[in-house]
Amino acid sequence: KQWYQRRVRGSHNLSQEYDFLPLTFCLPSEWKNFKRYWDETGHKQKWIIKPPASARGIGIKVVHKINQIPRKRSIIIQRYLANPFLINGRKFDLRLYVYVSSYDPLVVYLYDNGLVRFASSKYSYSSKSFSNRFVHLTNYSVNKNNTDYIRNADESGTESHKWY
């Protein structure tokens, strides 16, 4: 987040290229700023809570009421994207692997192979779906427990919920 604030927000040329990043707050240290935003517009929005230093989807949830947000525990809270890019009606994430050999000048190598992970249930922005982790999370450790999860037959398959 600090890199984004220093590099992107400070540069008019890059700010529009990185405009897809959701509004993010680190709580509890940014509680006052978050609460001010909530009071102005936040109560009309959905938010996603993520604990720091966690993995496998542990502690992630979508919320829409202020009383669902911890006040004292360290969390990252982001405005939840209402209209995300979807593939076959499902949320996805991309894992791209890079090697940064220098920062000044910036030299980055992108590995040819990557990974795409999918939610195992079709996306819905309905409040009724917010507790369904199979709709909103793409973590393998979450989705492997869904009876609709499709495992890879081989690494070249594109019918499963994980593409290589």
Side-chain angles (χ1 to χ4, degrees):
K1 184 175 175 182
Q2 291 174 350
W3 176 89
Y4 171 72
Q5 289 173 337
R6 283 195 312 264
R7 300 287 183 185
V8 179
R9 286 187 179 167
S11 169
H12 177 69
N13 294 340
L14 291 177
S15 63
Q16 291 186 356
E17 292 180 33
Y18 289 92
D19 194 36
F20 64 88
L21 296 174
L23 183 62
T24 303
F25 296 92
C26 298
L27 302 183
S29 63
E30 295 181 325
W31 177 260
K32 287 181 183 177
N33 292 338
F34 171 73
K35 182 69 166 79
R36 186 178 321 115
Y37 185 83
W38 179 279
D39 290 340
E40 293 170 6
T41 63
H43 63 281
K44 300 173 187 170
Q45 315 225 359
K46 310 299 189 266
W47 297 85
I48 188 164
I49 294 174
K50 303 174 183 182
S54 187
R56 300 181 316 273
I58 296 170
I60 297 176
K61 58 184 176 179
V62 180
V63 299
H64 63 283
K65 296 178 184 171
I66 194 97
N67 64 357
Q68 296 173 303
I69 301 167
R71 296 276 312 258
K72 299 189 189 298
R73 198 173 79 223
S74 292
I75 60 166
I76 306 298
I77 187 165
Q78 294 180 312
R79 187 169 40 194
Y80 195 64
L81 299 177
N83 211 3
F85 292 119
L86 303 173
I87 296 178
N88 298 329
R90 299 173 197 281
K91 286 187 70 177
F92 66 95
D93 71 24
L94 301 174
R95 292 284 174 108
L96 303 175
Y97 301 97
V98 299
Y99 170 66
V100 179
S101 62
S102 171
Y103 288 101
D104 192 12
L106 183 61
V107 179
V108 178
Y109 297 93
L110 177 64
Y111 186 65
D112 290 339
N113 295 329
L115 177 67
V116 183
R117 299 181 310 170
F118 294 91
S120 54
S121 293
K122 294 215 176 208
Y123 177 74
S124 170
Y125 192 66
S126 163
S127 296
K128 294 177 183 176
S129 76
F130 286 166
S131 62
N132 186 343
R133 297 166 58 82
F134 303 136
V135 170
H136 299 282
L137 301 181
T138 59
N139 307 70
Y140 168 74
S141 57
V142 170
N143 284 285
K144 70 180 181 180
N145 298 313
N146 188 350
T147 55
D148 294 334
Y149 183 79
I150 302 170
R151 296 190 187 283
N152 284 9
D154 61 58
E155 287 191 8
S156 64
T158 57
E159 300 300 318
S160 66
H161 288 111
K162 196 175 192 181
W163 298 353
Y164 296 94

